[in-house]
Amino acid sequence: MGCCQSSFFYGKDHRPARNRSRPSNSGDVLPAFSEFSLSDLKSATNNFASDHIVSEVGRNAPNVVYKGRLHNRHWIAVKKFTTIAWPDPKQFAEDAWGVGKLRHKRIAKLIGYCCEGDERLLVAEYMPNDTLAKHLFHWENQTIKWAMRLRVALYIAEALDYCRAEGHPLYNDLSAYGVLFDENGDPRLSCFGLMENSRDGVGMLEYNRNGMITPESVVFSFGTVLLDLLSGKHIPPNHALDMIRGKNILPLMDSHLEGNFSTEQATVVSDLASQCLQYEPRERPSTKDLVATLAPLQNEADVPSYVLLGIPKHEEASPKLQPSLSPMGDACSRMDLTAIHQILVMTHYRDDEGTNELSFQEWTQQMRDTLDARKRGDLAFRDKDFKNAIDCYSQLMNSVHNVLMRVSNAKAEFVDVGSMVSPTVFARRSLCFLLCDQPDSALRDAMQAQCVYPDWSTAFYMQSVALAKLDMHKDAADMLSEASALEEKRLRCCRGP
């Protein structure tokens, strides 16, 4: 379908198609968030063979995680639920997409899901260096050093604070089993516990008492993780609280540390654990308080995590020859926001061709009037008035939302505003956010552009720049490579056989 410049809204089905995990030119790039087929996951896990199980924890419902390998040779972790845990497939898919948008260096990324028949599966990047529980309770070579325990506490607090800021403050069954170590030994929070509506087993004392997970109960669970880090073993929270209240910190400490810890730092951590475990939820600290308390304790910040954890250094694969980058790819690789701006201005809206365009005749005059907001945004964008462009594009989206609310009420159906806005608008506003030093917002808009137009290289390019601005350089490089591969694929299609 030809591109109509005045058209800025598209069809409802904006999610990437099934199996859109694309191998890139580098061969091992983590795929963009996608829906996987059951056959692909069976192939990756050897039909969910028992020798592929890496975790099997659960009280009220099965909670099995398998190690697998995709066709592009990338390792993944696959969590398998039952329909008891997730009876509503639509809810499962929507929650998975919500968690899949979270991108932070302290969280193991969710990269996809599968929802075929009675199957409910989540797919995440694989963390090769075991769980905190393994290193604390079942270690073979050496116990975790004190500095590493402090790093674990801070990194998980940072992950929880990020999730809270992004509107995902709830976490199911936070424990030492949900803290994973990546290839560099850096601790990361498992993404699986962020699926809010799961009926999976939740073993926290707070959950059992109130029957629901709250942000305060997550902080309570974080307090139990702090106790694990202090003691090196499972201690009932009430018993530990008695020890802490008695100011008797030494009997609480892990004897395997052999005294190699700071009593002053341990006292700060135990005091923080005590606050987290308070009976009254309102008396517990916020996630921001957790970060503020733990950050000053990091006195070996320059020592790599693999050294503190006592594991071999991860060797990067030999760099492969990269294809020559397009002007857009080159600008993004150099973080040249001015050049990116010039390219987006010149491209205008012609990249929106091929999306599922709807006719203006289906909408009201008020819907047509929202074009004015986009025109003003485009003028501001062209003139480098980026704050005004953000305001105009946001006004456009609010106007579309208001009209769609009335349409959906009349037709008794829900229409996602994100699917009705041009991907170019999201890409332009993403760049505006970058130029206004708001990389988190820029990343959200770039990911929304991908949702609207799953094969659009520009959406991936903008994500790479935002990720680099967030100091997530490996993810940025992966996204840049995938964008380049998509761009090359599109050029081949245009050239024909």
PDB file of all heavy atoms in Angstrom, residues 233-256:
ATOM      1  N   LYS A 233      23.380 -18.829  55.043  1.00  0.00           N
ATOM      2  CA  LYS A 233      22.434 -19.944  55.205  1.00  0.00           C
ATOM      3  C   LYS A 233      21.032 -19.382  55.411  1.00  0.00           C
ATOM      4  O   LYS A 233      20.848 -18.185  55.625  1.00  0.00           O
ATOM      5  CB  LYS A 233      22.824 -20.815  56.392  1.00  0.00           C
ATOM      6  CG  LYS A 233      23.011 -20.085  57.705  1.00  0.00           C
ATOM      7  CD  LYS A 233      23.484 -21.037  58.793  1.00  0.00           C
ATOM      8  CE  LYS A 233      23.802 -20.326  60.090  1.00  0.00           C
ATOM      9  NZ  LYS A 233      25.027 -19.498  59.977  1.00  0.00           N
ATOM     10  N   HIS A 234      20.062 -20.282  55.312  1.00  0.00           N
ATOM     11  CA  HIS A 234      18.679 -19.882  55.538  1.00  0.00           C
ATOM     12  C   HIS A 234      18.428 -19.735  57.037  1.00  0.00           C
ATOM     13  O   HIS A 234      18.636 -20.677  57.806  1.00  0.00           O
ATOM     14  CB  HIS A 234      17.716 -20.925  54.961  1.00  0.00           C
ATOM     15  CG  HIS A 234      17.699 -20.956  53.470  1.00  0.00           C
ATOM     16  ND1 HIS A 234      17.340 -19.873  52.706  1.00  0.00           N
ATOM     17  CD2 HIS A 234      18.001 -21.955  52.591  1.00  0.00           C
ATOM     18  CE1 HIS A 234      17.407 -20.192  51.431  1.00  0.00           C
ATOM     19  NE2 HIS A 234      17.818 -21.455  51.331  1.00  0.00           N
ATOM     20  N   ILE A 235      17.961 -18.571  57.441  1.00  0.00           N
ATOM     21  CA  ILE A 235      17.602 -18.334  58.839  1.00  0.00           C
ATOM     22  C   ILE A 235      16.170 -17.827  58.878  1.00  0.00           C
ATOM     23  O   ILE A 235      15.821 -16.904  58.131  1.00  0.00           O
ATOM     24  CB  ILE A 235      18.528 -17.285  59.491  1.00  0.00           C
ATOM     25  CG1 ILE A 235      19.969 -17.810  59.526  1.00  0.00           C
ATOM     26  CG2 ILE A 235      18.064 -16.938  60.891  1.00  0.00           C
ATOM     27  CD1 ILE A 235      20.937 -16.834  60.130  1.00  0.00           C
ATOM     28  N   PRO A 236      15.320 -18.407  59.701  1.00  0.00           N
ATOM     29  CA  PRO A 236      13.955 -17.876  59.817  1.00  0.00           C
ATOM     30  C   PRO A 236      13.995 -16.398  60.166  1.00  0.00           C
ATOM     31  O   PRO A 236      14.727 -15.988  61.072  1.00  0.00           O
ATOM     32  CB  PRO A 236      13.346 -18.709  60.954  1.00  0.00           C
ATOM     33  CG  PRO A 236      14.154 -19.965  60.973  1.00  0.00           C
ATOM     34  CD  PRO A 236      15.543 -19.568  60.572  1.00  0.00           C
ATOM     35  N   PRO A 237      13.252 -15.558  59.439  1.00  0.00           N
ATOM     36  CA  PRO A 237      13.313 -14.112  59.677  1.00  0.00           C
ATOM     37  C   PRO A 237      13.086 -13.704  61.131  1.00  0.00           C
ATOM     38  O   PRO A 237      13.791 -12.832  61.642  1.00  0.00           O
ATOM     39  CB  PRO A 237      12.197 -13.567  58.767  1.00  0.00           C
ATOM     40  CG  PRO A 237      12.104 -14.571  57.677  1.00  0.00           C
ATOM     41  CD  PRO A 237      12.361 -15.893  58.318  1.00  0.00           C
ATOM     42  N   ASN A 238      12.133 -14.327  61.814  1.00  0.00           N
ATOM     43  CA  ASN A 238      11.874 -13.933  63.201  1.00  0.00           C
ATOM     44  C   ASN A 238      13.065 -14.231  64.098  1.00  0.00           C
ATOM     45  O   ASN A 238      13.405 -13.455  65.000  1.00  0.00           O
ATOM     46  CB  ASN A 238      10.630 -14.652  63.732  1.00  0.00           C
ATOM     47  CG  ASN A 238       9.361 -14.141  63.083  1.00  0.00           C
ATOM     48  OD1 ASN A 238       9.332 -13.026  62.565  1.00  0.00           O
ATOM     49  ND2 ASN A 238       8.321 -14.952  63.085  1.00  0.00           N
ATOM     50  N   HIS A 239      13.719 -15.353  63.874  1.00  0.00           N
ATOM     51  CA  HIS A 239      14.890 -15.703  64.668  1.00  0.00           C
ATOM     52  C   HIS A 239      16.031 -14.716  64.405  1.00  0.00           C
ATOM     53  O   HIS A 239      16.727 -14.276  65.325  1.00  0.00           O
ATOM     54  CB  HIS A 239      15.336 -17.127  64.336  1.00  0.00           C
ATOM     55  CG  HIS A 239      16.527 -17.589  65.104  1.00  0.00           C
ATOM     56  ND1 HIS A 239      16.578 -17.559  66.485  1.00  0.00           N
ATOM     57  CD2 HIS A 239      17.725 -18.079  64.691  1.00  0.00           C
ATOM     58  CE1 HIS A 239      17.757 -18.016  66.891  1.00  0.00           C
ATOM     59  NE2 HIS A 239      18.465 -18.330  65.816  1.00  0.00           N
ATOM     60  N   ALA A 240      16.213 -14.372  63.139  1.00  0.00           N
ATOM     61  CA  ALA A 240      17.267 -13.418  62.793  1.00  0.00           C
ATOM     62  C   ALA A 240      16.975 -12.047  63.395  1.00  0.00           C
ATOM     63  O   ALA A 240      17.884 -11.353  63.856  1.00  0.00           O
ATOM     64  CB  ALA A 240      17.393 -13.317  61.281  1.00  0.00           C
ATOM     65  N   LEU A 241      15.707 -11.653  63.383  1.00  0.00           N
ATOM     66  CA  LEU A 241      15.352 -10.360  63.966  1.00  0.00           C
ATOM     67  C   LEU A 241      15.704 -10.314  65.445  1.00  0.00           C
ATOM     68  O   LEU A 241      16.177  -9.296  65.953  1.00  0.00           O
ATOM     69  CB  LEU A 241      13.854 -10.088  63.765  1.00  0.00           C
ATOM     70  CG  LEU A 241      13.457  -9.472  62.425  1.00  0.00           C
ATOM     71  CD1 LEU A 241      11.943  -9.385  62.318  1.00  0.00           C
ATOM     72  CD2 LEU A 241      14.066  -8.086  62.271  1.00  0.00           C
ATOM     73  N   ASP A 242      15.490 -11.413  66.162  1.00  0.00           N
ATOM     74  CA  ASP A 242      15.855 -11.453  67.580  1.00  0.00           C
ATOM     75  C   ASP A 242      17.354 -11.230  67.754  1.00  0.00           C
ATOM     76  O   ASP A 242      17.792 -10.511  68.666  1.00  0.00           O
ATOM     77  CB  ASP A 242      15.467 -12.807  68.191  1.00  0.00           C
ATOM     78  CG  ASP A 242      13.959 -12.973  68.298  1.00  0.00           C
ATOM     79  OD1 ASP A 242      13.267 -11.933  68.290  1.00  0.00           O
ATOM     80  OD2 ASP A 242      13.481 -14.121  68.353  1.00  0.00           O
ATOM     81  N   MET A 243      18.154 -11.819  66.874  1.00  0.00           N
ATOM     82  CA  MET A 243      19.602 -11.658  66.953  1.00  0.00           C
ATOM     83  C   MET A 243      20.000 -10.218  66.645  1.00  0.00           C
ATOM     84  O   MET A 243      20.876  -9.642  67.295  1.00  0.00           O
ATOM     85  CB  MET A 243      20.286 -12.620  65.993  1.00  0.00           C
ATOM     86  CG  MET A 243      19.991 -14.094  66.289  1.00  0.00           C
ATOM     87  SD  MET A 243      20.700 -15.205  65.051  1.00  0.00           S
ATOM     88  CE  MET A 243      22.431 -15.047  65.440  1.00  0.00           C
ATOM     89  N   ILE A 244      19.344  -9.635  65.633  1.00  0.00           N
ATOM     90  CA  ILE A 244      19.681  -8.261  65.249  1.00  0.00           C
ATOM     91  C   ILE A 244      19.269  -7.279  66.334  1.00  0.00           C
ATOM     92  O   ILE A 244      20.011  -6.365  66.695  1.00  0.00           O
ATOM     93  CB  ILE A 244      19.002  -7.905  63.908  1.00  0.00           C
ATOM     94  CG1 ILE A 244      19.583  -8.773  62.796  1.00  0.00           C
ATOM     95  CG2 ILE A 244      19.186  -6.441  63.571  1.00  0.00           C
ATOM     96  CD1 ILE A 244      18.877  -8.634  61.469  1.00  0.00           C
ATOM     97  N   ARG A 245      18.066  -7.469  66.868  1.00  0.00           N
ATOM     98  CA  ARG A 245      17.590  -6.552  67.911  1.00  0.00           C
ATOM     99  C   ARG A 245      18.457  -6.613  69.152  1.00  0.00           C
ATOM    100  O   ARG A 245      18.577  -5.649  69.890  1.00  0.00           O
ATOM    101  CB  ARG A 245      16.138  -6.897  68.253  1.00  0.00           C
ATOM    102  CG  ARG A 245      15.145  -6.488  67.170  1.00  0.00           C
ATOM    103  CD  ARG A 245      13.776  -7.054  67.438  1.00  0.00           C
ATOM    104  NE  ARG A 245      12.841  -6.731  66.361  1.00  0.00           N
ATOM    105  CZ  ARG A 245      11.815  -7.486  66.008  1.00  0.00           C
ATOM    106  NH1 ARG A 245      11.595  -8.635  66.636  1.00  0.00           N
ATOM    107  NH2 ARG A 245      11.018  -7.112  65.034  1.00  0.00           N
ATOM    108  N   GLY A 246      19.069  -7.767  69.366  1.00  0.00           N
ATOM    109  CA  GLY A 246      19.957  -7.893  70.516  1.00  0.00           C
ATOM    110  C   GLY A 246      21.335  -7.332  70.249  1.00  0.00           C
ATOM    111  O   GLY A 246      22.235  -7.472  71.089  1.00  0.00           O
ATOM    112  N   LYS A 247      21.526  -6.707  69.082  1.00  0.00           N
ATOM    113  CA  LYS A 247      22.809  -6.109  68.707  1.00  0.00           C
ATOM    114  C   LYS A 247      23.926  -7.145  68.686  1.00  0.00           C
ATOM    115  O   LYS A 247      25.096  -6.813  68.844  1.00  0.00           O
ATOM    116  CB  LYS A 247      23.175  -4.960  69.665  1.00  0.00           C
ATOM    117  CG  LYS A 247      22.147  -3.856  69.758  1.00  0.00           C
ATOM    118  CD  LYS A 247      21.913  -3.176  68.415  1.00  0.00           C
ATOM    119  CE  LYS A 247      20.892  -2.053  68.523  1.00  0.00           C
ATOM    120  NZ  LYS A 247      20.596  -1.431  67.221  1.00  0.00           N
ATOM    121  N   ASN A 248      23.573  -8.388  68.490  1.00  0.00           N
ATOM    122  CA  ASN A 248      24.568  -9.458  68.486  1.00  0.00           C
ATOM    123  C   ASN A 248      24.779  -9.910  67.042  1.00  0.00           C
ATOM    124  O   ASN A 248      24.238 -10.912  66.606  1.00  0.00           O
ATOM    125  CB  ASN A 248      24.091 -10.620  69.362  1.00  0.00           C
ATOM    126  CG  ASN A 248      25.188 -11.638  69.601  1.00  0.00           C
ATOM    127  OD1 ASN A 248      26.326 -11.442  69.185  1.00  0.00           O
ATOM    128  ND2 ASN A 248      24.839 -12.708  70.281  1.00  0.00           N
ATOM    129  N   ILE A 249      25.581  -9.141  66.309  1.00  0.00           N
ATOM    130  CA  ILE A 249      25.724  -9.372  64.892  1.00  0.00           C
ATOM    131  C   ILE A 249      26.652 -10.549  64.579  1.00  0.00           C
ATOM    132  O   ILE A 249      26.461 -11.271  63.607  1.00  0.00           O
ATOM    133  CB  ILE A 249      26.225  -8.094  64.180  1.00  0.00           C
ATOM    134  CG1 ILE A 249      26.283  -8.286  62.658  1.00  0.00           C
ATOM    135  CG2 ILE A 249      27.592  -7.687  64.709  1.00  0.00           C
ATOM    136  CD1 ILE A 249      24.955  -8.506  62.026  1.00  0.00           C
ATOM    137  N   LEU A 250      27.683 -10.764  65.413  1.00  0.00           N
ATOM    138  CA  LEU A 250      28.707 -11.763  65.087  1.00  0.00           C
ATOM    139  C   LEU A 250      28.165 -13.186  64.955  1.00  0.00           C
ATOM    140  O   LEU A 250      28.542 -13.905  64.032  1.00  0.00           O
ATOM    141  CB  LEU A 250      29.837 -11.707  66.120  1.00  0.00           C
ATOM    142  CG  LEU A 250      30.679 -10.417  66.084  1.00  0.00           C
ATOM    143  CD1 LEU A 250      31.769 -10.463  67.139  1.00  0.00           C
ATOM    144  CD2 LEU A 250      31.289 -10.217  64.697  1.00  0.00           C
ATOM    145  N   PRO A 251      27.259 -13.638  65.841  1.00  0.00           N
ATOM    146  CA  PRO A 251      26.724 -14.998  65.651  1.00  0.00           C
ATOM    147  C   PRO A 251      25.916 -15.158  64.368  1.00  0.00           C
ATOM    148  O   PRO A 251      25.740 -16.277  63.887  1.00  0.00           O
ATOM    149  CB  PRO A 251      25.832 -15.194  66.887  1.00  0.00           C
ATOM    150  CG  PRO A 251      26.376 -14.254  67.895  1.00  0.00           C
ATOM    151  CD  PRO A 251      26.826 -13.064  67.126  1.00  0.00           C
ATOM    152  N   LEU A 252      25.441 -14.057  63.817  1.00  0.00           N
ATOM    153  CA  LEU A 252      24.661 -14.104  62.583  1.00  0.00           C
ATOM    154  C   LEU A 252      25.541 -14.288  61.358  1.00  0.00           C
ATOM    155  O   LEU A 252      25.109 -14.854  60.348  1.00  0.00           O
ATOM    156  CB  LEU A 252      23.836 -12.822  62.439  1.00  0.00           C
ATOM    157  CG  LEU A 252      22.955 -12.663  61.191  1.00  0.00           C
ATOM    158  CD1 LEU A 252      21.855 -13.708  61.190  1.00  0.00           C
ATOM    159  CD2 LEU A 252      22.366 -11.264  61.132  1.00  0.00           C
ATOM    160  N   MET A 253      26.804 -13.861  61.434  1.00  0.00           N
ATOM    161  CA  MET A 253      27.666 -13.829  60.260  1.00  0.00           C
ATOM    162  C   MET A 253      28.106 -15.225  59.809  1.00  0.00           C
ATOM    163  O   MET A 253      28.258 -16.141  60.616  1.00  0.00           O
ATOM    164  CB  MET A 253      28.900 -12.961  60.533  1.00  0.00           C
ATOM    165  CG  MET A 253      28.569 -11.508  60.852  1.00  0.00           C
ATOM    166  SD  MET A 253      27.622 -10.698  59.538  1.00  0.00           S
ATOM    167  CE  MET A 253      28.801 -10.770  58.201  1.00  0.00           C
ATOM    168  N   ASP A 254      28.324 -15.354  58.503  1.00  0.00           N
ATOM    169  CA  ASP A 254      28.758 -16.610  57.901  1.00  0.00           C
ATOM    170  C   ASP A 254      30.164 -16.959  58.396  1.00  0.00           C
ATOM    171  O   ASP A 254      31.119 -16.208  58.163  1.00  0.00           O
ATOM    172  CB  ASP A 254      28.750 -16.452  56.379  1.00  0.00           C
ATOM    173  CG  ASP A 254      29.013 -17.750  55.640  1.00  0.00           C
ATOM    174  OD1 ASP A 254      29.335 -18.762  56.295  1.00  0.00           O
ATOM    175  OD2 ASP A 254      28.893 -17.744  54.392  1.00  0.00           O
ATOM    176  N   SER A 255      30.308 -18.093  59.026  1.00  0.00           N
ATOM    177  CA  SER A 255      31.614 -18.497  59.556  1.00  0.00           C
ATOM    178  C   SER A 255      32.623 -18.763  58.445  1.00  0.00           C
ATOM    179  O   SER A 255      33.840 -18.667  58.661  1.00  0.00           O
ATOM    180  CB  SER A 255      31.457 -19.754  60.429  1.00  0.00           C
ATOM    181  OG  SER A 255      30.935 -20.830  59.650  1.00  0.00           O
ATOM    182  N   HIS A 256      32.138 -19.046  57.236  1.00  0.00           N
ATOM    183  CA  HIS A 256      33.046 -19.318  56.131  1.00  0.00           C
ATOM    184  C   HIS A 256      33.756 -18.059  55.649  1.00  0.00           C
ATOM    185  O   HIS A 256      34.740 -18.157  54.889  1.00  0.00           O
ATOM    186  CB  HIS A 256      32.281 -19.956  54.966  1.00  0.00           C
ATOM    187  CG  HIS A 256      31.737 -21.316  55.294  1.00  0.00           C
ATOM    188  ND1 HIS A 256      30.394 -21.549  55.468  1.00  0.00           N
ATOM    189  CD2 HIS A 256      32.348 -22.507  55.501  1.00  0.00           C
ATOM    190  CE1 HIS A 256      30.199 -22.826  55.765  1.00  0.00           C
ATOM    191  NE2 HIS A 256      31.372 -23.431  55.783  1.00  0.00           N
TER     192      HIS A 256
END
